């Protein structure tokens, strides 16, 4: 539980850390800063956080709850790994797309 609160503090309190995100594959899972379980529409009410996805990097730079996925880890503020096992996740997140 202590780790969950630390992770949530990372996601919520650090705007620069929640903008440009690199998604780790299975081989890079050990390097992730955050193991995420992605809630589907039926589980949205159980999510710890709602994160908005964008394809506009300027929008991601302005808000800690907006993520822009990058392909190059050198450009990422932090790394996430998506797990299929909710028990292994640091945080449950529900994603919404920004349609601007």
């Amino acid at each position: 539980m202590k780790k969950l609160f630390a992770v949530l503090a990372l996601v919520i309190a650090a705007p620069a850390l929640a903008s440009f995100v690199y998604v780790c594959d299975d081989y890079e899972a050990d390097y992730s800063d955050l193991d995420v379980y992605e809630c589907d529409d039926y589980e949205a009410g159980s999510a710890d956080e709602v994160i908005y996805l964008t394809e506009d990097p300027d929008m991601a730079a302005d808000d800690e709850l907006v993520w822009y996925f990058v392909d190059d880890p050198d450009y990422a503020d932090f790394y996430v790994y998506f797990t299929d096992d909710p028990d292994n996740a640091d945080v449950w997140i529900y994603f919404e797309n920004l349609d601007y």
Side-chain angles (χ1 to χ4, degrees):
M1 191 62 130
K2 191 175 188 180
K3 184 177 181 181
L4 174 64
F5 289 123
V7 169
L8 286 175
L10 172 75
V11 172
I12 296 169
L17 293 179
S19 296
F20 299 96
V21 179
Y22 177 74
V23 178
C24 297
D25 61 23
D26 290 338
Y27 301 105
E28 300 166 319
D30 292 340
Y31 299 107
S32 73
D33 298 307
L34 188 64
D35 290 346
V36 172
Y37 175 72
E38 182 179 355
C39 296
D40 61 22
D41 290 338
Y42 300 105
E43 300 169 315
S46 299
D48 297 310
E49 200 63 52
V50 174
I51 300 293
Y52 298 92
L53 300 178
T54 184
E55 294 184 12
D56 180 358
D58 292 330
M59 187 176 294
D62 293 337
D63 190 334
E64 69 271 12
L65 296 179
V66 177
W67 284 7
Y68 177 82
F69 291 125
V70 295
D71 294 328
D72 187 340
D74 292 335
Y75 293 104
D77 294 314
F78 80 104
Y79 305 163
V80 297
Y81 175 73
F82 287 92
T83 179
D84 293 331
D85 184 354
D87 294 331
N88 288 334
D90 296 318
V91 64
W92 287 25
I93 293 179
Y94 180 73
F95 288 102
E96 292 207 14
N97 289 315
L98 290 175
D99 296 322
Y100 286 79

